[in-house]
Amino acid sequence: MQSTDEMNMGNSVSTLLLRSGLWDVGIQWAGFAVAAALKTEKFYDLAGSGTFLFLAIQTLRWGNTFYFRQKVQTGMVATWAVRLGLFLFTRVLQAGGDSRFDKVKHNPKTFFVYWTIQALWVWLTLLPTMILNSEKRDKPLGLRDYAGWGLWTAGFLLEAVADYQKTVFKADPDNAGKFISTGLWSISRHPNYLGEILLWAGLYLSSSSVMSGYQHLSVISPIFVYLLLTRVSGIPILERQGMKRYGKDPAYLDYVKNTALLLPGFW
């Protein structure tokens, strides 16, 4: 049988997760209302990243324990959210829009689904961090903490460097109409997505050091990120676009044939 302390901790976690979910959905639906009225997608990604930042900080405050492990984890999520949010927002402003939403933003029902899916993405991906921040017990730092933080660091740097390299490549007028195959992009066709998957896997790993029982189901976070990027959006869409744009270019076909889709040496 569960002790009273265990039952109270379970209730505390459930309450925090429900509270986070309500805030998450409320923010995305409010964002949809404004975006639908203006028929714009320009702050879609910024709203998603901003919600990650808000919930990471708020769950730390709601948990009110502020253990070192919690502060490191929250700081890592905040760092990722600020960098990616500003990067995507700047990119969409410079491009004048996001081609993913060319038709969608004129269809309120479909546009609403996109915003709702973003709410699901935020909540599921942030699940290990929210559970960690609700934890009332503290444990000494161990191998899983350091391994998780190391994995996050590797993934964060991989994503940031890949984004930077592609931005510099596209900014060069001599590269107009060309595809990038240099730097990290010479060993993986999607190094930024590899970094994204690794960093969330790292955050789950570090969080799991204080988890028990059903809380380990939050491993769905990195699994969800992996499936989303490799099976739904991300890679499938970009691969189709690449073939449509460069499919008749022998150099591109050679690049696809000889460069790993995601993880060099494996896939």
Side-chain angles (χ1 to χ4, degrees):
M1 297 201 41
Q2 286 185 316
S3 67
T4 301
D5 287 343
E6 288 175 327
M7 292 179 67
N8 288 336
M9 284 190 289
N11 291 335
S12 175
V13 173
S14 298
T15 299
L16 185 143
L17 293 180
L18 176 60
R19 189 177 184 182
S20 299
L22 291 175
W23 270 101
D24 178 22
V25 171
I27 292 171
Q28 303 315 312
W29 285 359
F32 159 74
V34 176
L38 299 176
K39 290 184 172 54
T40 182
E41 75 289 3
K42 291 183 179 179
F43 59 88
Y44 177 83
D45 290 318
L46 186 63
S49 301
T51 306
F52 272 101
L53 177 63
F54 172 76
L55 290 181
I57 294 173
Q58 282 301 114
T59 53
L60 181 64
R61 294 180 60 197
W62 293 335
N64 199 36
T65 47
F66 301 98
Y67 297 134
F68 180 73
R69 177 185 285 109
Q70 295 170 330
K71 289 189 286 186
V72 170
Q73 180 100 354
T74 300
M76 287 179 165
V77 173
T79 300
W80 167 86
V82 170
R83 188 209 74 84
L84 187 63
L86 291 177
F87 169 74
L88 294 176
F89 186 56
T90 301
R91 187 176 68 177
V92 77
L93 289 181
Q94 291 176 341
D98 188 332
S99 59
R100 294 176 300 171
F101 298 91
D102 286 346
K103 295 180 180 179
V104 171
K105 62 186 178 185
H106 298 290
N107 186 327
K109 290 183 179 179
T110 306
F111 204 21
F112 175 75
V113 171
Y114 272 64
W115 281 88
T116 303
I117 290 176
Q118 177 156 266
L120 179 64
W121 167 60
V122 171
W123 195 86
L124 284 178
T125 305
L126 202 54
L127 191 54
T129 301
M130 295 189 294
I131 291 175
L132 172 63
N133 283 347
S134 69
E135 184 59 56
K136 300 304 180 183
R137 300 168 299 174
D138 194 18
K139 292 183 179 180
L141 297 178
L143 179 60
R144 272 190 284 178
D145 295 293
Y146 297 118
W149 295 343
L151 195 57
W152 178 90
T153 301
F156 178 81
L157 291 175
L158 185 61
E159 182 176 51
V161 172
D163 284 341
Y164 173 76
Q165 289 177 340
K166 193 169 188 177
T167 299
V168 171
F169 178 85
K170 286 189 171 183
D172 187 345
D174 291 338
N175 293 326
K178 299 179 181 179
F179 61 91
I180 183 171
S181 59
T182 56
L184 292 173
W185 301 84
S186 67
I187 58 174
S188 171
R189 303 206 299 274
H190 303 282
N192 53 336
Y193 290 151
L194 176 59
E196 181 81 356
I197 293 167
L198 291 178
L199 69 87
W200 288 112
L203 291 180
Y204 165 75
L205 183 60
S206 58
S207 299
S208 70
S209 60
V210 297
M211 290 181 184
S212 61
Y214 73 90
Q215 293 178 343
H216 287 288
L217 292 175
S218 63
V219 71
I220 192 175
S221 167
I223 293 174
F224 176 76
V225 171
Y226 169 79
L227 293 176
L228 182 67
L229 293 178
T230 63
R231 297 289 186 270
V232 183
S233 64
I235 290 177
I237 294 176
L238 292 178
E239 287 292 301
R240 287 196 297 269
Q241 290 179 344
M243 289 303 296
K244 183 177 180 180
R245 187 173 186 181
Y246 307 111
K248 295 182 180 180
D249 183 348
Y252 181 74
L253 297 178
D254 185 64
Y255 172 70
V256 171
K257 180 180 178 181
N258 296 298
T259 308
L261 178 69
L262 187 67
L263 183 61
F266 293 93
W267 181 43

